[in-house]
Amino acid sequence: MKLVSPPRTDDTLDLVTIGEAMAMFVAREYGDLAEVEHFIKRIAGAELNVATGIARLGLRAGWVSRVGNDAFGRYVLNCLEKEGIDHRQVTVDSGYATGFQIKSLEKNGIDPIVQYFRKNSAASHLSVADFSADYFLRARHLHLTGVAAALSPEVLALCHHAADAALAAGRTLSFDPNLRPVLWPDTPTMVETLNALAFKADLVLPGLQEGKLLTGHDAPQAIADFYLEQGVKAVVIKLGPQGAWFKSASGEQATIPGFPVAHVVDTVGAGDGFAVGVLSALLEGKAPGDALRRGNLIGSLAVQVQGDSEGLPNREQLAAHEQEEIS
């Protein structure tokens, strides 16, 4: 399981992705969101989380989207600049607003309640017109998720167009289902649509429950085989605290145990952190087991802080955590 792609040049991006970023207001108090009076402003977006994590590790990440000509849009652009994410293909759209969300604060590692205000957002108006072959094909790897695919038929068409162009040019493609059932009209539509995109990928990264829903199979082996039989080269299944399991088209497979976490603060973003670890390691040419181990480590860091990307480490922090695990 390797991401074989063109070598780096001075203008190469290691990874490019497509998605929506939103301003996020995280409750500072426990209880019903209707009663909470104090919030912390953060940024949210599955694909942006991955781009952020990749950039913090010193790799070159590009992010393609639309934001509104408003305060939230400026906030997103400022965050991109701060993180060093290439945003040449981010359009400021005066016709539509930037979305936002509010998230509850929960005890004992319970999944927070998230309420979205993103309907008809600027990012939902992405389309094939936003595709630039010069930009996308300067990237060694394309990462897509089921969140962007759910935003609108036009964004879905852009995802397919970018995937087809990347694969035709010899680039590699990963797909994280990242299921958001609330964004779909019904479950069968979600399953059929996302599997059509997943079948194009070199690497598919479902959680175990996502894999069960998307394939109708319960066991990791059967879930993996479902995608491998469609031409996918490798499947990584996230097992939560238990770690991760993978199988490649060549038959290579292994379970990599997770890292224990004494106190879970916020589970949102753990899967994106896992993807950061796996993809960054594979882009660096590391072996599958090492890639999953890094994915498990970064996923465990993500759940120990409040916020979707606040736990994603830079290169020095990652090295320190890896050294702690060795010692």
Side-chain angles (χ1 to χ4, degrees):
M1 184 178 68
K2 290 188 176 181
L3 298 182
V4 180
S5 54
R8 260 187 167 197
T9 65
D10 289 343
D11 200 33
T12 299
L13 294 170
D14 292 296
L15 177 148
V16 68
T17 187
I18 304 165
E20 177 173 28
M22 293 167 285
M24 175 173 66
F25 295 90
V26 185
R28 298 186 64 179
E29 307 152 17
Y30 298 114
D32 187 344
L33 282 168
E35 305 300 325
V36 173
E37 295 186 359
H38 301 96
F39 295 82
I40 305 170
K41 186 172 74 170
R42 294 286 186 262
I43 194 166
E47 303 84 6
L48 182 55
N49 292 339
V50 173
T52 298
I54 292 292
R56 286 185 188 171
L57 293 178
L59 298 171
R60 301 169 186 162
W63 183 73
V64 177
S65 190
R66 287 179 171 261
V67 297
N69 186 17
D70 49 40
F72 291 160
R74 293 192 298 276
Y75 174 58
V76 171
L77 293 173
N78 289 341
C79 290
L80 293 168
E81 192 69 30
K82 177 183 175 182
E83 296 291 351
I85 297 169
D86 189 294
H87 51 88
R88 283 173 283 181
Q89 286 298 115
V90 177
T91 299
V92 177
D93 190 332
S94 297
Y96 304 96
T98 309
F100 70 97
Q101 63 175 257
I102 56 175
K103 183 166 73 170
S104 69
L105 177 63
E106 302 293 341
K107 299 178 181 178
N108 303 321
I110 297 173
D111 290 347
I113 295 170
V114 182
Q115 295 186 2
Y116 297 96
F117 301 84
R118 72 198 307 178
K119 188 175 181 179
N120 206 32
S121 66
S124 70
H125 290 272
L126 281 163
S127 70
V128 174
D130 291 283
F131 179 83
S132 164
D134 178 65
Y135 185 80
F136 275 90
L137 298 185
R138 75 180 59 202
R140 298 167 59 208
H141 182 78
L142 173 64
H143 179 66
L144 299 175
T145 86
V147 182
L151 294 177
S152 69
E154 291 76 19
V155 184
L156 177 62
L158 172 60
C159 291
H160 276 287
H161 187 79
D164 292 341
L167 295 174
R171 308 303 191 258
T172 50
L173 169 65
S174 55
F175 180 71
D176 186 339
N178 223 320
L179 299 186
R180 298 290 191 276
V182 70
L183 296 178
W184 294 94
D186 53 67
T187 298
T189 300
M190 177 179 70
V191 169
E192 180 181 4
T193 304
L194 294 187
N195 278 336
L197 199 53
F199 293 161
K200 296 183 177 183
D202 296 288
L203 174 64
V204 179
L205 299 140
L208 181 58
Q209 295 306 316
E210 291 177 325
K212 290 179 179 180
L213 183 59
L214 290 169
T215 69
H217 299 294
D218 290 330
Q221 175 88 31
I223 293 169
D225 288 343
F226 175 87
Y227 290 108
L228 295 173
E229 289 167 3
Q230 295 295 326
V232 173
K233 293 183 174 62
V235 179
V236 172
I237 298 176
K238 294 168 278 189
L239 304 176
Q242 285 69 48
W245 181 88
F246 86 94
K247 183 178 181 181
S248 69
S250 65
E252 181 183 14
Q253 57 184 291
T255 299
I256 306 299
F259 291 85
V261 175
H263 179 56
V264 175
V265 176
D266 187 346
T267 57
V268 177
D272 301 328
F274 178 83
V276 168
V278 171
L279 295 176
S280 65
L282 292 177
L283 285 166
E284 293 166 12
K286 294 189 179 297
D290 293 331
L292 268 65
R293 192 168 292 107
R294 182 187 288 183
N296 289 339
L297 175 58
I298 296 181
S300 74
L301 298 176
V303 303
Q304 297 182 57
V305 299
Q306 193 175 30
D308 291 11
S309 61
E310 279 65 28
L312 300 176
N314 60 32
R315 181 64 66 172
E316 292 74 21
Q317 292 167 334
L318 176 62
H321 285 294
E322 289 175 332
Q323 188 59 41
E324 285 179 12
E325 296 305 324
I326 293 173
S327 58

